[in-house]
């Protein structure tokens, strides 16, 4: 089942609550929440208080993407703030297995994100602990960047690896996704689609509906 995960990084923070309601009412399934620490990535976004505050007002699945060095220091607080899925970067964790096991113990879904230069091979011995693989289609840190075309080949590879693992693992893609390229991304193997700037511009509800139409065609 394909799902849309609008990234609030591209929202108008003055009207954040309103805009979250708009994507929810238009049929989005997830809310993608980009946490940046200014160390793992060259930008700082927002953190725990924002998540706690929006959690009270929406039933959307909170898909929290931690672009944070050594995220194990914070994962418990993100679980407590209301995350449903926590994705950590393979490149940011010294003890990735331990971090994933800990998240499993906390009873939430786990994701591992891979930067464009990182091979999915590093996940070979971790499939039992992973619910979602997040394939970055831009270098993380900013919204509104161009989709990196080599991601299509990587998605094909990840789809094969997931098939071989025999596990039911979602494949999420993040960065530069538009109404024009989303079909080719789904055809390549992705089933969770993050989109920031293509959702939070002009008519937000209509953007969500157009994405949903393609995702559920
Ligand atoms: C990039 C973030 C993305 C970003 C996507 O570091 O992880 O989630 O918000 O935004 P667009 O869709 O504008 O590329
Ligand atoms: Zn993201």
């Amino acid at each position: 089942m394909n799902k849309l995960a609008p990234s609030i990084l591209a929202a108008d923070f003055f009207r954040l609550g309103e805009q979250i309601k708009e994507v929810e009412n238009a049929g989005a399934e997830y809310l993608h929440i980009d946490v940046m620490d200014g160390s793992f990535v060259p930008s700082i976004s927002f953190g725990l208080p924002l998540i706690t505050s929006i959690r009270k007002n929406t039933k959307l699945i909170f898909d929290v993407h931690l672009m944070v060095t050594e995220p194990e220091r914070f994962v418990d607080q993100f679980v407590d703030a209301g995350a449903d899925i926590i994705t950590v970067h393979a490149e940011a964790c010294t003890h990735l297995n331990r971090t994933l096991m800990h998240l499993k113990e906390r009873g939430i879904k786990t994701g591992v994100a891979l930067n464009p230069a990182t091979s999915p091979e590093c996940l070979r011995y971790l499939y039992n602990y992973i619910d979602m693989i997040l394939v970055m289609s831009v270098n993380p840190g900013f919204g509104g960047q161009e989709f990196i075309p080599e991601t299509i080949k990587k998605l094909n590879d990840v789809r094969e690896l997931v098939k071989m693992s025999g596990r039911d693992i979602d494949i999420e893609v993040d960065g530069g996704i538009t109404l024009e390229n989303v079909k080719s991304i789904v055809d390549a193997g992705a089933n969770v689609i993050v989109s920031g700037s293509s959702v939070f511009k002009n008519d937000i509800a209509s953007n969500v509906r157009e994405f949903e139409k393609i995702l559920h065609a």
Side-chain angles (χ1 to χ4, degrees):
M1 176 62 167
N2 296 331
K3 294 179 182 93
L4 180 67
S7 164
I8 56 169
L9 190 63
D12 173 354
F13 292 149
F14 188 63
R15 300 176 48 223
L16 185 58
E18 237 173 82
Q19 296 197 339
I20 290 174
K21 277 287 157 213
E22 209 170 334
V23 297
E24 183 167 22
N25 293 338
E29 292 90 350
Y30 286 6
L31 195 67
H32 188 80
I33 301 174
D34 286 308
V35 178
M36 302 179 179
D37 69 349
S39 163
F40 180 67
V41 289
S43 186
I44 297 176
S45 57
F46 44 71
L48 290 156
L50 181 132
I51 297 175
T52 308
S53 135
I54 60 176
R55 179 71 289 177
K56 298 183 192 115
N57 297 299
T58 171
K59 294 204 166 17
L60 284 165
I61 293 172
F62 278 13
D63 169 28
V64 177
H65 177 193
L66 294 182
M67 284 162 274
V68 170
T69 304
E70 294 172 20
E72 57 278 11
R73 295 175 295 152
F74 302 107
V75 291
D76 282 319
Q77 294 175 67
F78 281 100
V79 174
D80 295 339
D84 296 293
I85 307 166
I86 291 188
T87 297
V88 296
H89 268 263
E91 305 86 2
C93 293
T94 308
H95 300 289
L96 183 54
N97 175 290
R98 178 186 286 153
T99 305
L100 294 173
M101 285 206 297
H102 181 70
L103 284 170
K104 284 269 152 223
E105 277 162 20
R106 291 295 317 261
I108 68 159
K109 290 204 169 188
T110 60
V112 178
L114 303 173
N115 280 339
T118 305
S119 165
E121 187 55 34
C122 65
L123 304 180
R124 177 179 284 270
Y125 305 108
L126 294 171
Y127 293 121
N128 288 338
Y129 312 96
I130 300 177
D131 298 305
M132 184 166 82
I133 298 172
L134 167 48
V135 176
M136 289 304 302
S137 41
V138 296
N139 288 295
F142 305 97
Q145 303 181 75
E146 284 277 301
F147 183 85
I148 296 173
E150 287 78 8
T151 310
I152 295 292
K153 166 79 180 101
K154 191 168 178 181
L155 284 171
N156 293 157
D157 292 348
V158 170
R159 175 167 57 188
E160 280 314 303
L161 291 168
V162 167
K163 213 180 281 169
M164 277 177 351
S165 79
R167 293 243 312 130
D168 185 15
I169 297 175
D170 286 319
I171 302 176
E172 181 174 54
V173 188
D174 184 3
I177 302 178
T178 63
L179 284 168
E180 288 66 45
N181 64 15
V182 64
K183 186 177 181 313
S184 63
I185 292 163
V186 171
D187 289 347
N191 72 310
V192 182
I193 300 296
V194 177
S195 183
S197 39
S198 293
V199 166
F200 291 97
K201 65 168 184 195
N202 308 325
D203 186 341
I204 296 172
S206 140
N207 295 333
V208 170
R209 283 194 297 269
E210 290 302 312
F211 268 109
E212 293 289 349
K213 233 185 266 168
I214 300 169
L215 293 183
H216 298 117

